[in-house]
């Protein structure tokens, strides 16, 4: 499978998540724990029984540990931000992550972002503001929810950047199984310490949690991780902006949210920005 096709599949799988969150009225921390833990329980038997586990993975335990903590923290603070404000504001601020990825890549990696990355980023952010609504952006409240959403974007960017370094050295499934184990242990500890509910849910909620684990976590992030092996981290992070477009369509299809001309225009501009980042500088 090509890296770009893998990225598209990953984006489609991840984009379902916000709609599922709306349909799963439980604690955001509990939701995050079950998304990670169910996926972890499913992936380990396959990795071990198929003989895909490689002991050399443990050499990179430090970045894997960081990835697990970053990813779990991203899910938790993003969920809390949505609960304390709106999905629109939280999504807008979380999707500032390409800026942080670009800055991180510029500061810590030898392969610097090209001018096309910065042009594409600026273009995509204009489209994102249009998609979410200029009035939402201008009237945003700088409260706890605001800073939680910004923090979510930072964790998201950190995960993308650090996972890129590990995926160059270990198989995808080894990395996913290990990092999700870290995330699950961290999240169950949070649930216990904070007294978040871990059982007593309705059958439909359990069904939603299973779909989140299988589709959004396993299929989605295995596909994105495959793309990260071949595509620059900053391009992947910017491409993930298109989640907002797919999520908007799914929200319109399943929960009757409106799609306006402004949203369509914003989506087109986001895709244009993403396309610009994939341009290569012409060698003199």
């Amino acid at each position: 499978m090509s890296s770009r096709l893998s990225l598209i599949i990953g984006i489609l799988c991840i984009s379902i998540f916000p709609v599922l969150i709306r349909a799963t009225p439980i604690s955001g921390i509990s939701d995050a724990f079950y998304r990670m833990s169910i996926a972890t329980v499913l992936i380990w038997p396959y990795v071990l029984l198929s003989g895909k586990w490689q002991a050399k993975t443990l050499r990179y335990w430090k970045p894997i540990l960081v990835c697990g903590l970053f990813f779990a923290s991203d899910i938790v603070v993003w969920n809390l931000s949505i609960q304390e404000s709106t999905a629109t504001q939280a999504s807008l601020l979380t999707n500032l992550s390409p800026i942080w990825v670009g800055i991180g890549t510029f500061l810590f990696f030898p392969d610097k972002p090209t001018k096309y990355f910065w042009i594409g980023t600026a273009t995509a952010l204009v489209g994102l503001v249009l998609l979410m609504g200029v009035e939402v952006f201008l009237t945003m409240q700088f409260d706890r929810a605001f800073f939680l959403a910004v923090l979510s974007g930072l964790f998201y960017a950190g995960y993308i950047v650090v996972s890129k370094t590990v995926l160059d050295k270990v198989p995808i499934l080894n990395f996913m199984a290990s990092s999700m184990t870290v995330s699950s242990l961290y999240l169950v500890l949070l649930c216990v310490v904070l007294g978040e509910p871990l059982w007593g849910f309705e059958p439909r909620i359990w069904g939603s949690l299973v779909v989140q684990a299988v589709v959004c976590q396993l299929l989605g992030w295995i596909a994105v991780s495959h793309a990260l092996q071949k595509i620059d981290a900053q391009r992947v992070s910017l491409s993930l902006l298109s989640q907002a477009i797919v999520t908007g369509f799914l929200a319109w299809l399943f929960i009757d949210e409106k799609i306006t001309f402004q949203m369509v225009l914003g989506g087109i501009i986001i895709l244009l920005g993403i396309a610009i980042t994939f341009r290569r500088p012409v060698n003199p």
Side-chain angles (χ1 to χ4, degrees):
M1 182 186 299
S2 73
S3 55
R4 293 190 184 186
L5 177 59
S6 182
L7 182 56
I8 291 170
I9 292 173
I11 289 169
L12 290 174
C13 292
I14 295 170
S15 298
I16 302 171
F17 183 62
V19 176
L20 292 174
I21 284 290
R22 291 282 188 90
T24 314
I26 64 173
S27 160
I29 302 175
S30 302
D31 185 287
F33 164 68
Y34 277 110
R35 167 179 167 171
M36 299 303 302
S37 61
I38 293 172
T40 302
V41 168
L42 291 174
I43 196 173
W44 269 115
Y46 176 76
V47 171
L48 295 174
L49 295 176
S50 64
K52 294 184 180 297
W53 174 251
Q54 296 182 12
K56 71 173 185 178
T57 302
L58 298 179
R59 298 178 196 168
Y60 307 99
W61 68 269
K62 289 182 180 179
I64 288 174
L65 176 66
V66 171
C67 285
L69 295 176
F70 274 171
F71 196 89
S73 299
D74 166 39
I75 297 175
V76 167
V77 296
W78 187 76
N79 285 354
L80 293 176
S81 178
I82 290 176
Q83 291 174 345
E84 295 186 19
S85 59
T86 65
T88 299
Q89 174 174 304
S91 298
L92 173 61
L93 293 170
T94 298
N95 279 302
L96 294 177
S97 57
I99 297 176
W100 316 131
V101 171
I103 292 172
T105 303
F106 179 80
L107 293 175
F108 301 112
F109 292 88
D111 296 328
K112 307 301 183 186
T114 68
K115 65 178 181 181
Y116 292 116
F117 168 76
W118 298 113
I119 295 171
T121 297
T123 303
L125 289 175
V126 169
L128 187 62
V129 171
L130 280 175
L131 179 71
M132 299 301 184
V134 177
E135 64 283 354
V136 172
F137 184 79
L138 294 177
T139 60
M140 205 176 300
Q141 298 296 312
F142 295 90
D143 53 12
R144 192 175 99 105
F146 174 92
F147 291 106
L148 282 172
V150 172
L151 185 60
S152 172
L154 289 168
F155 282 133
Y156 196 12
Y159 173 81
I160 293 292
V161 171
V162 178
S163 65
K164 172 68 174 176
T165 66
V166 184
L167 288 167
D168 290 340
K169 302 176 179 68
V170 301
I172 292 172
L173 294 181
N174 284 221
F175 165 75
M176 291 289 294
S178 301
S179 65
M180 288 193 306
T181 299
V182 173
S183 295
S184 299
L185 293 173
Y186 169 60
L187 289 169
V188 75
L189 180 62
L190 274 183
C191 287
V192 172
V193 170
L194 299 176
E196 301 293 347
L198 291 174
W199 51 77
F201 306 136
E202 298 176 13
R204 68 181 184 86
I205 291 178
W206 287 114
S208 175
L209 293 171
V210 170
V211 173
Q212 290 178 43
V214 174
V215 178
C216 305
Q217 185 60 38
L218 283 181
L219 298 182
W221 281 99
I222 287 174
V224 171
S225 297
H226 180 266
L228 274 167
Q229 289 184 316
K230 305 294 183 181
I231 303 175
D232 296 338
Q234 62 267 23
R235 285 179 179 165
V236 171
S237 69
L238 191 60
S239 297
L240 290 172
L241 278 177
S242 58
Q243 289 177 57
I245 301 170
V246 181
T247 298
F249 173 75
L250 293 174
W252 167 77
L253 191 62
F254 293 110
I255 56 178
D256 297 325
E257 289 193 0
K258 293 182 179 179
I259 295 181
T260 65
F261 172 76
Q262 177 177 302
M263 294 172 66
V264 173
L265 179 61
I268 292 172
I269 294 175
I270 288 173
L271 294 176
L272 175 62
I274 293 169
I276 290 172
T277 67
F278 280 88
R279 289 199 61 183
R280 295 283 184 183
V282 178
N283 294 324

